[in-house]
Amino acid sequence: MNEPALSARWRPLAWLAVVFMGVATLTRLVLRVDIAGSLPFSPAGDLRIFAIGAGYDLLALLYFAVPLVLMLWLLPKRWTTRPAGRALIATTCFVLLAALLFIAVAEWTFWQEFQSRFNFIAVDYLVYTTEVLGNIRQSYPVGAILTGIAAMSVLVFAATARWRRIGVDESTFLQRSTVALAWGLAATLGTLLVSAEAKDGGANAYADELAGDGIYQFFAAYRQASLDYDRFYRTVPDAEADARVRRALTTPDATFLGPTGIARSIHNAAPERRLNVVLISVESFSADYSGTYGQKFSLTPQLDAITSQSLLFTRLYATGTRTVRGLEALSLSVPPTPGESIVKRPHNENLFSLASVFNAHGYHSEFLYGGYGAFDNMNYFFGHNGYEVHDRTEIPDNAVHHETVWGVADEDLYTLAIKRFDADYAAHRPFFAHVMTTSNHRPYTFPAGRGPWKQHDRASAVRYTDWAIGDFLRRARSKPWFADTVFVITADHCASSAGKAALPVFRYHIPMWIYAPGRIAPGRFDGLTSQIDIAPTLLGLLGFDYQSRFVGVDVFQQAPDRALIGTYELLGLLKRDRLVQLSPHRRAVTLAPAMDDDRLQPVVADNPDTTFEAISYYQTAAHDFEHGAMALHPRAAAATARSVP
């Protein structure tokens, strides 16, 4: 009996569908086994993961198979019997198979780094291919992996040859058009009716991630490159949001400059001290790496050694899980508004920043980075917001002890910094420098001979990072500017971001030492503190008077007892025993936060006042950036923003 005309024509598509679903299911199974320690096996739970996952896999298949669908639709009937036509179909099938296996391996490496299926980070990585591909080459045996993918592709392709060959094709163009139209309609409806968040809502965030499909999640993240707060999140009347944020910023040192808005004059009772400031934000530096913060086997002996001479902040929380979020919080003192960080958004020039305050007091402000600052738009952002930028391009190759695709070794960055500080001292000008490190980043390599540590190991990279800070401070102590310098050592974000909860609070806990012997009294501040409070607290310690539009506060004026944490989509207000979590589709839920370890964060009774406070913080910050109120000169900036089409 002859095979139906349409079936014969579309056999390669049926083959691809079976292979795709098989690889997708196997990928999910491998990731499921990998996370077994954090997500115990359960019949009901695993059935949910694989059932929902199959639905997302089918949606991803609709996108992935489009090239083959178009070819099988448009290829003339006579070509299906010719060698050239069959070779074209076979080549397309092989390329799609190889791409599918490559994506599966890429998902595994991405999961190892982020415990997540592809998301907005993967989308970002497409923009910075030099750094990302270089990091992959330095971190993994790329040649062996590609050889393995090629060999597996050939094996699967040959073993399934008879199931993908077109049979006797008697289909008409109209019949083929019906199939292609139905395929396109299904893809369109899937895009419009299904959201990436529909899988969420399980008790464990790992389960929600596993239920997704990496290819689908990638396309979804690409579509949501920008998240408008008013469209996606719960709101309150603007006047109420403004009033709530003003109340949170009402401190003894502040006088508001108008009846609305957060602009205020800060007056310190203590006299101004024109001390130099070096702010070091260490890449991926979790508090629990340090013995100072309770780590039994401390990875930071150099920093532990200065603890007794430092002002220590024990309950400090980063705003986000990426470097640009830390840079945003440290320079602008703003909550993590949804979507991209302000560091990477359009119209982010001439904002009110920490550097703008120092510059107004006669300081020379600099941003120093060991890599190429074009990455993540860092050079542009800092260069247009009061900082003089210095990066890898200023470090001669013969002065580099070690380098990865991300940048030079931390010790080489500190050599550049010391050179800049010497120049400022010679010019008789106080300096403020924000130094961003890179060594504590995959591939976790560093100069040989710095300690008995192995390469390509995260713990060893932390030990080297700590060694480099100790070496920097030793060199700095010999300089005439050391006695008049405040060193602030903190993190951009933690080393890991995933957990059983969607916003795992313990993953945001970062350290901070303020070290200035004889200038800043040592001690501990144990109040709940956000990364956005660092800038105003530092200015308070220096006794600065200034006009502020920071959302953070000087914690020694009035302890805020809150922290603001977020991801690309989730926004959180952390209190002592409550976490208000805002998410798209105007959802707001109150959770019991897991402060110390990887636990679920169960839903608890809502406190409307705390929920409205959370909404107010994020709504106000989003509106202020959109309408130019964060600008150094807000009226002019707002007028400019309104004129932009």
Side-chain angles (χ1 to χ4, degrees):
M1 184 166 52
N2 291 333
E3 185 176 13
L6 275 179
S7 298
R9 162 69 72 149
W10 296 101
R11 282 179 69 186
L13 182 61
W15 167 85
L16 179 62
V18 172
V19 171
F20 185 98
M21 294 300 292
V23 171
T25 302
L26 181 61
T27 300
R28 183 171 292 105
L29 179 61
V30 170
L31 300 182
R32 176 68 186 90
V33 172
D34 179 69
I35 208 68
S38 299
L39 182 64
F41 290 102
S42 129
D46 286 303
L47 178 62
R48 173 187 178 274
I49 288 171
F50 282 88
I52 294 176
Y56 277 103
D57 293 341
L58 286 171
L59 285 172
L61 172 64
L62 294 174
Y63 301 142
F64 186 80
V66 164
L68 186 59
V69 171
L70 292 176
M71 176 175 293
L72 295 175
W73 171 39
L74 298 173
L75 195 69
K77 186 187 305 183
R78 63 181 181 275
W79 275 75
T80 63
T81 59
R82 294 180 179 178
R86 290 182 177 272
L88 181 62
I89 296 171
T91 300
T92 301
C93 289
F94 182 81
V95 170
L96 289 173
L97 171 62
L100 181 61
L101 295 178
F102 178 85
I103 291 169
V105 173
E107 276 224 75
W108 166 256
T109 60
F110 192 84
W111 180 270
Q112 292 302 298
E113 184 74 15
F114 300 105
Q115 290 78 55
S116 169
R117 308 304 288 260
F118 289 147
N119 56 23
F120 70 97
I121 299 176
V123 175
D124 270 1
Y125 277 3
L126 284 185
V127 178
Y128 302 105
T129 53
T130 299
E131 289 83 359
V132 173
L133 293 179
N135 184 44
I136 292 171
R137 285 195 299 270
Q138 293 173 356
S139 302
Y140 301 98
V142 174
I145 291 173
L146 292 180
T147 300
I149 292 173
M152 183 58 67
S153 300
V154 170
L155 181 63
V156 173
F157 190 74
T160 59
R162 67 188 184 93
W163 287 294
R164 60 174 167 74
R165 292 195 185 103
I166 290 181
V168 178
D169 178 21
E170 298 296 337
S171 65
T172 66
F173 182 75
L174 179 60
Q175 290 174 323
R176 301 198 302 271
S177 297
T178 302
V179 175
L181 179 63
W183 194 275
L185 181 62
T188 301
L189 289 175
T191 301
L192 296 176
L193 300 179
V194 180
S195 71
E197 299 80 30
K199 63 181 173 49
D200 300 337
N204 190 305
Y206 289 123
D208 291 340
E209 285 296 329
L210 287 169
D213 177 277
I215 296 174
Y216 177 85
Q217 298 299 118
F218 180 89
F219 281 105
Y222 181 80
R223 293 199 309 270
Q224 295 180 338
S226 177
L227 286 173
D228 179 78
Y229 184 89
D230 287 353
R231 178 182 174 189
F232 290 100
Y233 295 85
R234 277 190 61 180
T235 61
V236 297
D238 286 342
E240 179 180 345
D242 180 72
R244 286 182 178 275
V245 174
R246 280 169 67 96
R247 283 199 296 272
L249 301 183
T250 301
T251 56
D253 62 342
T255 302
F256 286 98
L257 300 178
T260 61
I262 66 171
R264 57 207 188 276
S265 175
I266 303 296
H267 174 69
N268 277 285
E272 179 177 328
R273 297 187 291 173
R274 292 171 63 79
L275 301 175
N276 307 310
V277 175
V278 178
L279 169 59
I280 302 174
S281 52
V282 180
E283 170 70 39
S284 305
F285 195 43
S286 303
D288 60 12
Y289 283 150
S290 173
T292 297
Y293 286 82
Q295 173 60 259
K296 183 177 180 181
F297 302 103
S298 180
L299 303 179
T300 62
Q302 300 296 324
L303 284 167
D304 296 341
I306 66 170
T307 295
S308 63
Q309 298 175 276
S310 301
L311 177 58
L312 188 72
F313 288 73
T314 62
R315 298 177 67 210
L316 173 66
Y317 288 81
T319 60
T321 59
R322 300 200 65 204
T323 296
V324 285
R325 285 300 188 190
L327 297 178
E328 170 190 83
L330 291 167
S331 60
L332 303 180
S333 182
V334 295
T337 49
E340 285 284 15
S341 163
I342 290 173
V343 173
K344 299 179 66 175
R345 292 189 197 178
H347 312 301
N348 65 358
E349 306 88 354
N350 302 313
L351 304 179
F352 179 77
S353 68
L354 182 55
S356 68
V357 178
F358 277 112
N359 293 343
H361 285 254
Y363 280 64
H364 179 220
S365 297
E366 302 169 90
F367 174 72
L368 300 104
Y369 180 56
Y372 295 99
F375 182 77
D376 270 347
N377 203 45
M378 287 186 282
N379 279 359
Y380 184 88
F381 171 78
F382 283 101
H384 286 79
N385 285 288
Y387 297 79
E388 184 177 289
V389 174
H390 305 278
D391 69 359
R392 170 66 179 86
T393 59
E394 298 182 30
I395 304 175
D397 290 343
N398 60 10
V400 174
H401 290 86
H402 182 78
E403 132 178 68
T404 69
V405 70
W406 297 110
V408 298
D410 287 354
E411 63 191 86
D412 300 323
L413 170 62
Y414 293 135
T415 297
L416 171 65
I418 289 173
K419 178 182 177 181
R420 298 303 313 165
F421 304 159
D422 286 344
D424 285 323
Y425 179 79
H428 304 288
R429 59 188 180 191
F431 56 83
F432 159 59
H434 184 154
V435 182
M436 180 68 223
T437 74
T438 60
S439 288
N440 187 30
H441 193 295
R442 192 180 294 275
Y444 307 123
T445 58
F446 41 85
R450 297 299 184 255
W453 315 313
K454 61 182 180 180
Q455 302 284 347
H456 300 285
D457 175 72
R458 171 172 273 174
S460 296
V462 176
R463 290 185 172 97
Y464 169 73
T465 294
D466 173 72
W467 177 92
I469 292 172
D471 178 67
F472 168 59
L473 293 177
R474 282 191 293 272
R475 288 189 279 165
R477 289 188 188 102
S478 68
K479 298 295 183 178
W481 42 261
F482 174 80
D484 294 320
T485 301
V486 178
F487 298 90
V488 182
I489 304 167
T490 187
D492 58 348
H493 56 81
C494 283
S496 299
S497 59
K500 294 179 180 178
L503 265 184
V505 170
F506 80 107
R507 295 293 195 193
Y508 290 79
H509 186 205
I510 59 173
M512 185 166 73
W513 292 260
I514 297 182
Y515 174 68
R519 295 296 189 176
I520 303 293
R524 294 167 57 100
F525 182 79
D526 296 321
L528 186 58
T529 308
S530 173
Q531 202 173 25
I532 70 172
D533 299 317
I534 293 175
T537 299
L538 174 61
L539 295 173
L541 290 170
L542 296 177
F544 276 22
D545 292 345
Y546 62 101
Q547 290 191 1
S548 175
R549 280 187 293 280
F550 291 147
V551 183
V553 298
D554 178 355
V555 300
F556 294 111
Q557 290 291 323
Q558 180 171 298
D561 201 30
R562 59 91 189 94
L564 295 147
I565 63 176
T567 63
Y568 185 76
E569 293 183 331
L570 301 179
L571 311 173
L573 173 65
L574 175 64
K575 294 281 193 172
R576 291 183 182 180
D577 59 352
R578 292 289 186 272
L579 171 67
V580 177
Q581 180 176 291
L582 309 178
S583 58
H585 307 291
R586 302 186 183 278
R587 295 171 182 158
V589 62
T590 302
L591 309 169
M595 306 291 285
D596 302 314
D597 54 17
D598 194 5
R599 291 180 287 110
L600 297 176
Q601 297 179 157
V603 175
V604 295
D606 175 40
N607 180 331
D609 193 62
T610 306
T611 300
F612 293 154
E613 181 183 356
I615 295 169
S616 298
Y617 268 118
Y618 290 107
Q619 178 178 318
T620 299
H623 288 185
D624 281 355
F625 178 73
E626 179 183 355
H627 298 295
M630 289 184 185
L632 188 58
H633 305 291
R635 290 183 180 177
T640 302
R642 285 193 296 271
S643 69
V644 174

